[in-house]
Amino acid sequence: MRQPPRLRTGGLFHLYRLRALAKDMTMQSVEIKKDIFWVGAVDYDNRDFHGYSLSPQGSTYNAYLVKDEKNVLFDTVSAKCAGTMLCRLASVLPPEKVDYIVCNHMEPDHAGALAQVVERCKPEKIFCSKMGLQSMKGYFDISNWPVQAVQNGETISIGKRTITFVETRMLHWPDSMVSYIPQDKLLISNDAFGQNIASTARYVDEYEPAALLQAIKEYYYNIVLPYSPQVLKALPVVEGLDIDMIAPDHGLIHRGKDAVQRIVDIYRTLAEQKTQRRAVIIYDSMWHSTERMASAIASGMEEKGVPVRLMSLKKNHHSAVMTELADCGAVIAGSPTHNNTVLPYVASTLTYMKGLRPKNRIGAAFGSYGWSGESPRIIHEWLESMGMDMPVAALKQQWAPNKDCFKACHAFGGAVAEALIQKCGG
Ligand code: FEO
């Protein structure tokens, strides 16, 4: 039988093929400044980043190409998007013309495609932070790669431009750094200032403002929150630079001085975590008793003038709870007692929340039970271990709530609301 012709994969043929693919599949680059191109990938299918739900839309892995005397690629994409990125890259210049690759961060959503890109581009140098060198060695065999670890604040020249590398350790990995190009007033910020948005839009001004703000809060509260002290230290550094564009590695680009100032201000507000006069009640329920307690607690809070949102953990992912927490100064959590402990959705949400280290919150716990009744105490201790103020004792109800229980729940909600109002200062 006649065999199909083998595809040639090297040299010029490969470049033409990449270019043809780029054109056919609209995998075109986007010029974000003169001779600076977005060459990333939109991943509409990703639904999870280490427990952070990206439903319903996915994410975008941004990579940027600067054309100068040295052509520089900043970051790559996840391994499965390597072909897409190379197509976009090939729409600007042959991949083998990339001289330098900068790896601002080695997490595989940005460095997963690195081996394929190095193989294709054969760069003269690969730059990363000192900590990045350690993680790069952990992920890849780099014995033949021309890797150069840079110092914090080190500047290299690429022709008409320079690049200054600024370490942002633990924002959010030890290796994290950002790259600043003063000639273009451009900060390539890696994970900082990003959002998990999958869209054909490339800039924040192309997106609906309320949805954008929600995406920024979601990203911050599910990724960046534990590193808020580092954010508060980094923001003055960013404000000290002359920047009119922040290009993150996820989502949309902040273009223009106003947009830059806006995202810096949003980050400062999110990082400060000032107590807000609003509450969220999270709960799971077996036979609706804890659910009915939750409603009565909410009515007690509303009566005191505190807006409150009820979130059933059967219907709301823990990522959505964290996003809601961005606007809440109080968390009231409830679970019936099941097998001498809390229900699984409650346990997973509290585990996730504790890891993200929210600050300046008030907590309270409640739940129904049949015969042993441990869950309110367990939740109370869990919230307390997160450093939350616990102004009221845990509330529990045996079997179904009755009239007295609803009164107690109402009073419980009112007491939490009063404590919250006092903590907010008025
Ligand atoms: Fe988007 Fe830490 O990787």
Side-chain angles (χ1 to χ4, degrees), residues 33-138:
K33 281 190 176 255
K34 180 155 173 42
D35 288 335
I36 302 180
F37 300 85
W38 173 80
V39 292
V42 183
D43 184 352
Y44 291 97
D45 293 334
N46 193 356
R47 289 290 177 272
D48 178 87
F49 267 138
H50 34 70
Y52 166 12
S53 169
L54 305 181
S55 188
Q57 60 168 306
S59 189
T60 301
Y61 318 118
N62 294 328
Y64 302 98
L65 178 71
V66 177
K67 279 175 72 178
D68 206 314
E69 287 170 30
K70 295 292 184 186
N71 299 312
V72 186
L73 176 66
F74 291 83
D75 296 318
T76 69
V77 294
S78 74
K80 69 173 181 176
C81 298
T84 303
M85 197 203 90
L86 284 166
C87 285
R88 287 218 161 83
L89 182 56
S91 74
V92 182
L93 86 180
E96 57 270 26
K97 298 271 185 198
V98 170
D99 299 292
Y100 297 164
I101 297 175
V102 173
C103 296
N104 282 315
H105 173 37
M106 286 303 299
E107 193 165 5
D109 48 335
H110 309 295
L114 186 59
Q116 296 164 73
V117 173
V118 170
E119 169 69 20
R120 193 69 191 83
C121 297
K122 299 200 168 25
E124 183 185 324
K125 283 182 185 170
I126 301 169
F127 296 99
C128 62
S129 66
K130 288 200 160 165
M131 296 303 287
L133 180 59
Q134 300 310 315
S135 33
M136 197 182 285
K137 280 180 188 165

Side-chain angles (χ1 to χ4, degrees), residues 58 108 283 386 398 413:
Y283 66 92
M386 295 185 214
Q398 190 168 22

Side-chain angles (χ1 to χ4, degrees), residues 199-392:
S199 168
T200 51
R202 293 276 70 80
Y203 301 101
V204 292
D205 49 86
E206 296 174 337
Y207 211 71
E208 204 277 310
L212 173 68
L213 181 59
Q214 190 70 1
I216 292 167
K217 283 182 189 172
E218 179 199 285
Y219 183 90
Y220 192 96
Y221 261 70
N222 282 277
I223 298 269
V224 187
L225 187 63
Y227 313 107
S228 293
Q230 289 89 332
V231 170
L232 290 172
K233 278 186 196 156
L235 288 179
V237 177
V238 172
E239 288 181 301
L241 301 172
D242 187 13
I243 298 171
D244 68 9
M245 181 177 281
I246 294 179
D249 273 12
H250 292 290
L252 311 179
I253 296 166
H254 309 270
R255 67 174 162 188
K257 292 248 180 201
D258 288 350
V260 167
Q261 192 59 53
R262 198 174 309 125
I263 187 63
V264 166
D265 291 343
I266 291 170
Y267 257 52
R268 181 168 287 113
T269 300
L270 292 171
E272 284 173 345
Q273 295 193 66
K274 287 187 179 153
T275 306
Q276 298 186 63
R277 191 171 160 156
R278 185 180 168 83
V280 60
I281 300 176
I282 57 172
Y283 66 92
D284 198 0
S285 201
M286 288 169 68
W287 300 108
H288 306 291
S289 294
T290 301
E291 181 181 39
R292 292 163 74 200
M293 291 175 77
S295 293
I297 292 167
S299 73
M301 301 196 81
E302 284 168 0
E303 196 172 273
K304 298 285 181 185
V306 170
V308 58
R309 182 170 173 200
L310 283 158
M311 297 184 87
S312 160
L313 297 178
K314 277 190 182 69
K315 295 173 183 156
N316 293 278
H317 193 271
H318 52 242
S319 300
V321 170
M322 288 310 299
T323 309
E324 184 67 22
L325 198 57
D327 297 318
C328 291
V331 185
I332 300 98
S335 173
T337 298
H338 178 247
N339 294 337
N340 302 105
T341 188
V342 302
L343 284 175
Y345 291 149
V346 177
S348 67
T349 300
L350 293 179
T351 299
Y352 187 72
M353 186 183 288
K354 187 171 181 177
L356 288 162
R357 291 181 235 154
K359 302 280 183 229
N360 305 328
R361 262 62 180 205
I362 283 176
F366 68 98
S368 67
Y369 67 101
W371 49 96
S372 60
E374 293 93 339
S375 62
R377 174 186 54 77
I378 291 169
I379 293 171
H380 186 100
E381 289 172 1
W382 213 326
L383 296 174
E384 200 167 38
S385 74
M386 295 185 214
M388 294 190 189
D389 296 342
M390 306 296 289
V392 293

